[in-house]
Amino acid sequence: AAISMENARLYTGLKESRDQMSRWNQTLEQTVDERTRDLKQINQQLEEEIAERRQVEDALRVMDDSRRLLLSNISHELKTPITSIQGFLETILDEVIDDPRQQKKYLRLVLNKVLHLNRLIQDLFELTKLEA
């Protein structure tokens, strides 16, 4: 009878331990599920932020490329009239043209090129103000 009582007590203790471990396991599984959901949500948010940053970086890259192209075009547009002005002035200074009417014609061409340069610079200034 003493052995039966001892076995019953051990069996009851084992059953209680098993039930306790089952409850702990269930609690642990719930905690793991909650943390997994939280991590998935955080991962989704991070992926969305990364996608947004990539879009911003792509837009900035396009803007930077456009700005480089614009500067290249501006350089070309400014260089062309300056080259013409230089050629006309050298022609006049080298006295290649003696006729005062022809010299005046060349000076008018120089003036027109300078006015063109002023318009280009004014356009550039307006563009800079718009960007700001």
Side-chain angles (χ1 to χ4, degrees):
I3 293 178
S4 290
M5 292 281 283
E6 184 64 24
N7 281 341
R9 191 178 59 77
L10 286 173
Y11 177 75
T12 303
L14 283 174
K15 186 176 182 289
E16 288 174 7
S17 294
R18 186 192 71 203
D19 291 345
Q20 179 67 31
M21 288 182 73
S22 179
R23 287 191 297 274
W24 286 347
N25 189 40
Q26 194 174 19
T27 302
L28 182 60
E29 285 178 0
Q30 288 174 344
T31 303
V32 167
D33 286 345
E34 289 171 6
R35 298 238 170 105
T36 300
R37 274 194 306 274
D38 291 345
L39 287 173
K40 284 181 179 178
Q41 184 179 8
I42 290 169
N43 189 45
Q44 178 66 31
Q45 289 171 345
L46 287 173
E47 286 178 2
E48 290 171 4
E49 287 178 17
I50 288 170
E52 288 174 15
R53 286 183 184 199
R54 283 186 180 143
Q55 286 177 342
V56 168
E57 288 172 358
D58 289 346
L60 289 174
R61 197 172 300 114
V62 167
M63 285 176 48
D64 201 39
D65 290 346
S66 296
R67 183 171 285 132
R68 273 193 219 106
L69 180 62
L70 177 65
L71 287 175
S72 174
N73 289 339
I74 288 170
S75 296
H76 177 74
E77 287 296 319
L78 291 175
K79 187 172 180 161
T80 301
I82 288 174
T83 302
S84 296
I85 291 169
Q86 180 181 353
F88 293 142
L89 290 175
E90 285 174 352
T91 301
I92 293 169
L93 289 174
D94 289 344
E95 299 176 353
V96 172
I97 300 173
D98 295 337
D99 182 12
R101 287 184 303 177
Q102 284 294 93
Q103 287 179 349
K104 192 172 186 177
K105 176 184 169 186
Y106 274 85
L107 288 174
R108 284 204 187 285
L109 290 171
V110 168
L111 178 62
N112 286 337
K113 296 296 179 183
V114 168
L115 292 173
H116 179 68
L117 278 172
N118 279 333
R119 282 192 302 273
L120 288 173
I121 291 168
Q122 185 61 35
D123 289 348
L124 182 58
F125 180 69
E126 291 295 322
L127 182 64
T128 304
K129 283 189 344 186
L130 287 175
E131 262 192 351

